[in-house]
Amino acid sequence: MKQLTILSYFLLCMLGQVLAQSNRIVGTVSDASGKGIEGVSVSVKGKPGGVITNAAGNYSIVASAGDKLYFTSVGFVPQEQTVQGSRLDVILTAANTDLGEVVVVGYGSQRKGNVVSAITTVKGSELIKRPLASTSMALQGFAPGVVIQQGSGQPGADGGSINIRGIGSITNSSSPLIIVDGVEGVSMNDVDPNVIESITVLKDAASTAVYGVRGTNGVILIKTKRGAAGKTSVSFNSFVSKQTPTNFPELISSVDHMILFNEFRTNAGGAPQFSQADIDRYRTAPVDNMNVFNTDWKDLIFQNSGLMQNHNLIVNGGSDKVSFLASGTYLNQQGIVTNNSFKKYDLRLNGDINLSRKVKFTTDLFYTKATNTQPAGMSPNEIVQRGISMARLWPAKFADGQYGDAGQTNRINPVAAAEASGLNVAETPTLSVRFALNAEVFRNFVVEAAYNSRSSWTEAYVARTAYASYNPNPAGNNYLFAQMVGDSLLSYTNNRLNSNQYYASGTYSFQVKKDHQFRMQGGFQGLDNLITSVGASRAGLSNPDRPYLNLATGTFAAPSGSANDFALAGFFGRLNYNFKQTYLLEATGRYDGSSRFSQLRGKQWGFFPSVSAGWVLSKEKFMEKVDFINYAKLRVSYGKLGNQELGSNYPFVAQLNAGTAYYFNNTLTPGSSLNNIPNETVSWENSAQSNIGVDLAFLKSKLNVTFDIYQKKITDMLIDFPVANALGYAGSSVIPANAGSMVNKGWEFSANYRDKVGAFNYSITANLSDVRNEVLDTKGLDIVQGNQVSRAGFPVRSYQLYRTNRLYQPGEIFNLPYNGTRTTGAGDIKYVDMDGNDTLNAKDRVLMGNNFPRYDFSLNLNADYKGFDINIFLFGVAKRDNYISGVGVEPFNAGNWFATGLTSALERWTPEKTNSRYPRLFSGGNGNYIASDFWLRNGAFMRVKHITLGYTLDKKWASKIGVEQLRFYVNAVNPLTFSNYEPGFDPEISNTNGAFYPIMKTTTIGVNLRF
Amino acid sequence: MKNKFIFGSLLLALVTLAPGCKKYLDRNPLSTNSQADFYNNAAQVQQALTGVYNAFGARVVSPGFNNPTPYYSKMDLFTELGHERGLNGTIGSGAYNSTNGTVSELWTAFFQVVQRANNLLFYMTKAQSTMSEAEYKRVQAEAKVLRALAYWHLIQYFGDVPFFSAPPSTPEEIYNFTRTDKKVIIDFLIEDLTASANDLDWLPSQFGRVSRGVSLGAAARLAMLMGTNEYYTKAADLTDNIIANGPYALNPVYGNLFRKAGQTANVGNEIMFIYPYGDADPGSFNYLNLVQGSRNQGGQSSHFPSQFLVDLFECTDGKSIAESPLYNPARPNRNRDPRMKQTVIVPGDTVVVQGFTSMVYNINATVATFNTTTQAITFPSTTTNQDSANAFGARQNGLGNYWRKYLQDRDINGTAGNFFKVGWIYMRYAEILLINAEAHMEKGSAASVVANAINRVRARVGMPNVDPAILGNAQRLKALVRREKMVELSNEGLHMADLRRWDNGAYAARVMPVQVYGQTTSNMRLTAGVGLEFTAPAAAPVFDATYEVPIDYTGSAARRLQRETRIYNANQHRLCPIPQGELDKNKSLTQNPGW
């Protein structure tokens, strides 16, 4: 291994640096809190050379009594001290900026002032101002360039999807790499926000190149809180929330349903369904759930409390030998749909043990158990979809709790499906243990090694049960049994994940002359994952409360099983150099290997370098006169990265299908045959990323501004090339090849202003970012994903839609057929014949608009006065298209059940109301609901995401009850939304067809208590 | 010291870990086999061979039904012998184009057989040392037979086709392969089959496998495709070899060939290669009744025999219906070649339904019921006759006849529903005899040689030997041989190759582009002691002078059901178009003429 040789050589060279010295002055440099500061430059005034402090802030330098030692470090006021005796301890005061703060970077940390890449850090204290169940959503809006989109409000599934700096791949993953305290593969939402110290988002190549084949889509580093020596403190954080949907469509009334449905039929030449007498009866007679119905589906479906509670206890403390932090959290999130909930227990123990002054052992133990519960017969999304499409004149539930047939021939009643179709329960315990050793082998040379083992099991069962449905019998004023709906079936699956992670690195810091500071790091990382699963199902489960296979009486369905693994290994290195802390240079590289590619073709390993440079202009002489600028730093970076998340662990292997059996001698004989075309040349997708950024501080550093402009060019994107069926792979006649390219160009702006007026402290943070995507090359192929298409010259996943020109009006010539079959009439959508051939077909579709947010913006206001604090957070997207389909727009037509319409159907075209927003009602749709821009909506919105009002008990009172801090707060999530979107729907949910779980509006009361 | 120790152990750990890295990353699929790690032993090679059989046998009717009905049951419907329910857009109608789904399915399906066979033949060398020589060679030979049969289908449909004798590996072979002259392919395959045939036994090692006879028979089929004297000689030699040396004979009961029980017994070993269903497996069945059966029987009647075929059956005196005094147009099912009753159902025939009600198939609006005990026919009954009334029934479809071949199990086990386990015959000895007769006839062998083979087939069903007058007339003998092939083997998916070959396309140009007529339209009446007969029968058609096939129905047109006129352009329809999707994906492929 060439890399190893280099590394060992490097390590051996370092040993040679250990030299015996006399007149040694030793000491510790620490900050105001007494914590050692690493990387402080210490030099003897007037002499060349110098040293830097180690991780504990210790230094050792040769000097004589009377010499003046000069201490300087980014973010701190420089200091000069005269040598007296052999020990000199110094306390540096922080400059009025956050430049002295340590930020987490890939495989280490850096002082913010030395950072030359595009990094955003969010503190845990900010995150927990948002009482949310999912950590990803708590991050929304904090980091410019990080787009977090929420697609659902379902408990346990209400996290956001994260894209850093645009979309990084067409057909493969665009999600960033998430690392929690050095552990990869943990879902961000599995990290309890209560224990998060900070979240660092690495956005450019300079910061992510150390992650090689996983760096393209950015990296999110989560650091959890740790214990510190000193007084043991106990804190208790707790909140209770009430969740309600942000927005929900309204159904038309029973009477309107009858009138509109008749119109729907008669417009298409059919007979009316409902007689005038029936309509009149419904108008006048009271609703009795026997003769007259006006079922409130929403109310019946949303019978769950929507209550969420989160209780967290943290104990931390320690001595100079051992420190620890223990945290336990209980989350119980009840959905709004009956039988839908999410529960999670989190336990974390972070321990730090100082084996000696130079050797530290840390152990992180992390256990979480999540339980997800849903109705078995229908998913919550489907229940909602039915709930916004079932007519109100159909019976849902009768007085004594019997279920109605809901007007459906298949008797599927969403209320019954939610309440009585059984349960689908998935329980996932995860246990992760990490041991790490950190040793300063000799002065300024630190080695670190860690091992992590993580196991996770998902044990899930679906216990379906049948329920009875009834018909009303007005004659006898009772309800008659109609039939049993559903079946009783138990399905059981068990998935097991085992992950091992190995890590070792060495870091050496040194100073040449006085002004040249160096830091070198080299290391190794290995990771392997194994997932196995088994499953079985069996009919005839008589008691759904005992969901065990032995208690079901039917035959077993064929049991299933599978296993999957992958491994990664990489050697990384980093060199930091700065001159006078004014000129900063960083180079990183990773030689990375992935098991997902062919070893035979030498496709496993690749090298991913990056280089970045910074210039702190404010340190230059010529800037001293520019008073209003307190700090200015210019950063540039460039690097190359990979993306190995190709969806399959073995894309290079031709796998055999073992299901091609045959009967010989009347016996089924197993057969195997090749399923896909072997493609050993497949490799990761590559990207080249460049970034130019500036960090500025104005007005005595009260105003801090960061601006970055970047380009991320993705090449070698996997494209499925169609190959002829004559090659004989009937099912999958494509060969994926690394051939496509696209580019994301964008900018990010962030400004923060902090000040105080007397006892009134306030801060405002504004973030604004934009990214434009353009597909550069797909080798002439359209990459189609539903009605979204990626084609060269257009943004990725642009909508492919027919262009429309409002609605036909009486007197117009309706002679443009849709695929030759449509009989158009007044009130139907007028499609544009783009190619002018007098017929409308697939070739008339054009690419227009796309769903990715443009101009993400947020405004975060914080203020406190005496004990009161307030936080207001606004978030929005200024430009975005969103396509709506299915029951969201199409009345009376919902596939396999009989549907009604939303109140928007009242706005349909009629001969009396020709200036309407929706086409006429027409049984069969009449081509009005094919994918066209008529249903493309403006998805821009601005949302008041959070308002928090808190009160902290005065210290003087608090101490009387033996409490260090006591704060109460109330919070509202999503209280207000401004948008021009389809009424009743939430603009944050993408491309809905009516099957969605509403995003929640919550009201919370909470308490933070610390002893 | 302690620090140095820690450092040392870390370094040691790195040194030991790092060389392991290469192995660490070498991961292959765990719960599926991969091409690279398979074919290591006899069991795995046999599994791969089973996969080839699976590709050859698992062709289903689509779209619309996800069911295991042999695709082969559709193939005679592309010819003058049959019709699909909806003709427009089908291969048989001629009104279709290169985006036709059936064309694409045929292409894709048979190339899948080629791919699987080629992968097996290419990779199985890994297992050679672990297998006995006999077994190794047998596997090779079986795969070669299946590959050759797939190419036989491809060439008859498409003419020159891409030829793969090994898995493609270079980009050129994957993206830019071209079509190979069919002669090159046929030569290669005949050579290949004759060389490996002796590695197979005359009878298959297991029911469902191919044998030496099938190997030689496949070579004979390929030779016949070429249609030249040289290749007729090859076909004659190949089939002579089978006839002389093979343990095959005709099953004395023709109808038993198409019954599950008869296939299992396989008297005379007539069935040489068959797609078998698993007796014990409830999931193993075909939907032949669904696609062929009467709607009165729970079928969905989408495959129909043509009136051409019905009228092609001779009368029992060995004369055509145009010539024979035995033919009565009012009762067209009487005095006919016994194979007719085993092949088609015409008005007046009896059909057993659902195990409890018997009926007589007729063309009236109500069914006639037939009491199996008293032999009494109740006519008319009050039950609506779906064959007549249903829009998808025989009458509304303008044809009026049904297939019976492969539906005989209905008569025995009326409760079988749509789930038939009767196997689809790929090759049987009668075909070998008829290929032998035709090859000898074409190459100019003595008429007695030709007659010998034909008479065996005719004698089995009790038909008289070939009239010596015909033996003396080369043109009439040719017509007879061809008629014999059609009536003996109809609805077995073998006719397309002959249709396109005969007289170099002149035959197809004569029989295909015609107005299609069906059965007599008139009602039937029940006469005591006589049975069912048409009240206003349509006269027999006029037969073509050269081909001696029923071609002119104009004289009886007014009394017949009618269908559309089939489209057939001599310079276009001799071959199917290469699927458009293939041309789009590979610019090096060329289209067939006229498409």
Side-chain angles (χ1 to χ4, degrees), chain A residues 939-953:
Chain A
F941 66 92
M942 185 179 88
R943 183 157 256 180
V944 178
K945 273 268 162 186
H946 298 271
I947 299 181
T948 313
L949 193 61
Y951 174 71
T952 307
L953 199 65

Side-chain angles (χ1 to χ4, degrees), chain A residues 328-377:
Chain A
T329 301
Y330 171 65
L331 167 74
N332 182 333
Q333 187 180 12
Q334 290 296 321
I336 51 172
V337 171
T338 310
N339 280 327
N340 182 207
S341 67
F342 179 68
K343 286 180 196 163
K344 191 160 73 112
Y345 300 88
D346 278 290
L347 295 172
R348 179 175 276 279
L349 186 63
N350 288 348
D352 297 278
I353 302 158
N354 293 321
L355 298 175
S356 75
R357 258 187 62 210
K358 297 191 168 180
V359 181
K360 190 168 105 176
F361 180 74
T362 63
T363 170
D364 301 346
L365 189 70
F366 163 64
Y367 175 76
T368 169
K369 191 177 90 173
T371 308
N372 211 321
T373 305
Q374 304 182 11

Side-chain angles (χ1 to χ4, degrees), chain A residues 776-939:
Chain A
L776 298 176
D777 189 3
T778 56
K779 302 293 176 205
L781 298 170
D782 273 358
I783 297 161
V784 180
Q785 291 159 318
N787 62 9
Q788 291 167 298
V789 167
S790 300
R791 180 188 295 167
F794 294 88
V796 62
R797 285 172 220 152
S798 290
Y799 290 111
Q800 187 178 34
L801 304 170
Y802 287 98
R803 206 177 271 293
T804 60
N805 183 14
R806 314 195 321 144
L807 299 173
Y808 280 114
Q809 298 299 342
E812 287 189 69
I813 302 165
F814 323 126
N815 62 354
L816 190 62
Y818 164 64
N819 269 352
T821 58
R822 183 189 188 214
T823 47
T824 319
D828 285 332
I829 292 172
K830 190 194 285 184
Y831 294 108
V832 180
D833 177 19
M834 296 300 290
D835 59 10
N837 66 352
D838 289 336
T839 182
L840 205 67
N841 57 31
K843 287 177 184 156
D844 290 305
R845 293 177 300 175
V846 292
L847 299 196
M848 60 177 112
N850 76 90
N851 195 242
F852 199 76
R854 299 274 312 268
Y855 308 109
D856 245 35
F857 61 88
S858 70
L859 197 63
N860 193 11
L861 307 165
N862 276 298
D864 63 80
Y865 179 71
K866 300 205 168 153
F868 292 94
D869 61 89
I870 185 167
N871 169 256
I872 300 173
F873 189 79
L874 305 174
F875 174 75
V877 166
K879 187 172 181 301
R880 175 172 184 246
D881 301 302
N882 206 345
Y883 188 79
I884 187 156
S885 62
V887 298
V889 291
E890 186 174 358
F892 308 120
N893 194 350
N896 69 341
W897 69 97
F898 299 125
T900 187
L902 306 177
T903 49
S904 56
L906 299 169
E907 310 290 319
R908 86 268 181 216
W909 186 98
T910 62
E912 295 76 37
K913 197 164 151 232
T914 56
N915 182 24
S916 42
R917 202 170 165 199
Y918 301 94
R920 67 169 170 165
L921 302 174
F922 194 97
S923 176
N926 206 21
N928 286 325
Y929 305 101
I930 58 172
S932 76
D933 66 3
F934 201 88
W935 306 112
L936 194 60
R937 295 286 181 260
N938 180 353

Side-chain angles (χ1 to χ4, degrees), chain A residues 527-541:
Chain A
L527 182 159
D528 56 86
N529 247 29
L530 171 68
I531 295 172
T532 54
S533 70
V534 292
S537 64
R538 195 174 185 188
L541 180 68

Side-chain angles (χ1 to χ4, degrees), chain A residues 37 740 749 804:
Chain A
I37 310 173
F749 170 82
T804 60

Side-chain angles (χ1 to χ4, degrees), chain A residues 528 655-656 663 665-666 725, chain B residues 24 32-33 207 279 281 582:
Chain A
D528 56 86
Q655 300 193 37
L656 296 179
Y663 286 94
N665 271 5
N666 207 8
N725 293 340
Chain B
Y24 187 65
T32 53
N33 284 309
F207 188 73
D279 292 348
D281 181 353
E582 298 291 279

Side-chain angles (χ1 to χ4, degrees), chain A residues 951-972:
Chain A
Y951 174 71
T952 307
L953 199 65
D954 196 284
K955 279 232 153 76
K956 151 174 92 182
W957 297 105
S959 60
K960 283 197 178 160
I961 53 171
V963 169
E964 198 179 304
Q965 192 211 25
L966 178 59
R967 174 175 173 266
F968 299 97
Y969 64 90
V970 290
N971 164 285

